[in-house]
Amino acid sequence: MTSGAPIVVLEGVRARDSAGEAGRPRGSLFGAAAALGPGVHAVLGAPEDGTLALAELLAGRAPPLAGRVLVAGRDPFRSASTRARIGVLSVAPELPDGASVASSMSVALRARGAPQASAAALLEGLGVAPLLARGQASLSFAEARAVELALALGVPQPLLLCLFEPFADVAAPSPERVRERLRALADSGACVVLITSSTVDARALADRIHVLDRGVIVRTEPGDGERLAGAPTSAAPGAARPEVELHVLLHERAPVNERAPVNHERAPGARALAAALSSSPAVRAAAWEPGPGGASSTLRIRAADREAAALAILDAAAREDVALAAISSPAPSMHDVRAATALHLVAARPRRPFGAPRGDAELPPGAAAPPGAAPLPGAPPQAPLAVAAFGAPPAVPAPAVPAPAVPAPAALGSGASGAPPAADPPLADGSRPAAETGPNDGR
């Protein structure tokens, strides 16, 4: 495998987990596709999007229902040697049986051919060395996950690290140690996959962020996450552009009137800055809340463009002589990411003029595809925007029904003469029969 070549490849993968009630699926994958090379990749999504199913596939603990999963060119479910080079942190700890943590880790290290003396060093690397002397049954959920994470980080010559929420429910005293270790493994050529629903964790470490939406990886963004909640440049006409939020921390000065309540009759501060920004076209809304003791305030700014809003804040602060402490951009929530993803899907979906045929196959010869049909940045070539559900029966063509025979024109009248047809003969009682009506009669 050449340097920079994909380590993890998903090709049209369909799978489902069994984490729901009574073993039913909680989430599924529908034609997921990706090619992940060395580095840190964050897969951002919820269990309902198929993150649990994806974790099982990458760990080699389950085969896909359709498609292929390859790690360094091999199926991890069928290749034991490949699984031995995959570090796994599952949604729930799965430590080998043992009376103590030491014996449990000894079994795991023996299975991978690593020296048993490395158990203490692995735990020490996370700052949880005292757990080695504990009984396995005495571990809490978070402590057991910390031991499993230490084992995952200690895989010899790792190809892949598949970590499910490595910064949640893990009793590691210093998350920074975990980040440093993961970054070192990625720099050495391993593919680190963080499966998480936290945009904060994704932005803190990942080189690339892949958004998993309802079973399909539909977006890939840079690791800084600046575009996670942003609208695409090719959004549909009239589509609302999601707002961005900026937090401005500023120092409040002592009240002009010492007897005045907090935030009243003060020297220029949050109130003055908000008033100055109210007339700025770069700012859509501003609100503030006082900090502890009224010594500081946080001003929340909502705007369409982050850079333009930041410049407006700096200009207003200089004019009003306001002392700024920091301007930060909070991590978007999953709700924000989903809203932006919906706009990206609309932008990628082909749009056709009113009355135009559906599908490129029905376009006239030589006609160009409608605008907006370009795939999403980082999306798989097949752009799986519409995928059949599991177990969908194949389409069966309806049997041909012969059209009813149409009487010859001569039978309806007197041929070319245009004379009206002859009246029906009277009934036995001398009355005329009722005229037959069609579906459009009597309107």
Side-chain angles (χ1 to χ4, degrees):
M1 183 174 59
T2 61
S3 176
I7 296 177
V8 175
V9 176
L10 307 178
E11 297 178 351
V13 172
R14 299 172 64 181
R16 53 190 169 197
D17 61 46
S18 56
E21 295 183 3
R24 288 191 289 269
R26 186 176 177 186
S28 301
L29 299 177
F30 299 97
L36 311 180
V40 181
H41 301 265
V43 178
L44 189 61
E48 291 72 19
D49 295 315
T51 55
L52 297 175
L54 178 63
E56 291 293 302
L57 293 177
L58 295 182
R61 294 176 176 174
L65 298 177
R68 291 200 307 170
V69 178
L70 300 177
V71 176
R74 295 186 177 183
D75 184 349
F77 181 73
R78 300 179 180 274
S79 174
S81 61
T82 301
R83 289 196 302 273
R85 297 179 63 185
I86 300 177
V88 178
L89 176 63
S90 303
V91 61
E94 299 179 354
L95 295 173
D97 293 334
S100 65
V101 173
S103 61
S104 177
M105 293 187 69
S106 175
V107 173
L109 294 173
R110 188 185 306 117
R112 66 172 59 158
Q116 300 181 23
S118 63
L122 293 178
L123 295 179
E124 179 62 33
L126 294 185
V128 292
L131 295 180
L132 188 64
R134 294 268 300 275
Q136 183 173 339
S138 71
L139 296 179
S140 67
F141 181 87
E143 289 172 338
R145 292 197 84 215
V147 175
E148 189 171 85
L149 178 58
L151 287 170
L153 297 179
V155 169
Q157 299 179 344
L159 291 169
L160 166 67
L161 278 85
C162 176
L163 309 178
F164 190 91
E165 298 289 3
F167 302 104
D169 291 327
V170 176
S174 176
E176 191 58 34
R177 285 192 180 186
V178 179
R179 294 189 184 97
E180 291 175 356
R181 178 60 178 159
L182 292 177
R183 173 50 57 192
L185 291 171
D187 292 343
S188 65
C191 178
V192 178
V193 178
L194 309 179
I195 302 177
T196 180
S197 60
S198 169
T199 58
V200 176
D201 293 341
R203 296 176 65 183
L205 185 62
D207 300 316
R208 306 289 287 175
I209 299 177
H210 311 272
V211 179
L212 183 64
D213 184 75
R214 288 167 291 182
V216 179
I217 297 177
V218 294
R219 294 174 60 193
T220 296
E221 301 290 354
D224 56 18
E226 289 295 322
R227 299 194 306 213
L228 280 176
T233 54
S234 58
R241 181 180 179 87
E243 293 180 336
V244 297
E245 183 173 339
L246 292 176
H247 291 181
V248 183
L249 179 63
L250 51 91
H251 296 301
E252 295 283 4
R253 299 177 184 177
V256 175
N257 180 0
E258 295 296 339
R259 295 182 179 180
V262 174
N263 280 344
H264 290 276
E265 299 185 25
R266 287 185 172 275
R271 184 185 297 273
L273 184 59
L277 290 172
S278 63
S279 59
S280 173
V283 175
R284 293 182 177 177
W288 75 90
E289 57 187 21
S296 63
S297 296
T298 299
L299 185 64
R300 301 177 185 274
I301 302 294
R302 297 198 69 83
D305 184 83
R306 181 177 288 104
E307 289 74 16
L311 291 176
I313 293 169
L314 294 175
D315 291 343
R319 292 195 308 268
E320 300 296 330
D321 192 22
V322 175
L324 299 183
I327 300 177
S328 62
S329 177
S333 65
M334 279 301 298
H335 175 77
D336 299 329
V337 175
R338 291 186 188 281
T341 299
L343 291 179
H344 279 258
L345 291 176
V346 170
R349 186 176 295 117
R351 296 187 296 273
R352 59 189 180 90
F354 178 78
R358 296 182 180 272
D360 294 343
E362 300 180 16
L363 292 175
L376 293 173
Q382 56 266 40
L385 296 178
V387 183
F390 287 110
V396 180
V401 179
V406 179
L412 298 176
S414 56
S417 63
D424 293 328
L427 299 178
D429 58 0
S431 63
R432 293 287 180 180
E436 296 182 358
T437 59
N440 296 324
D441 293 334
R443 291 183 295 177

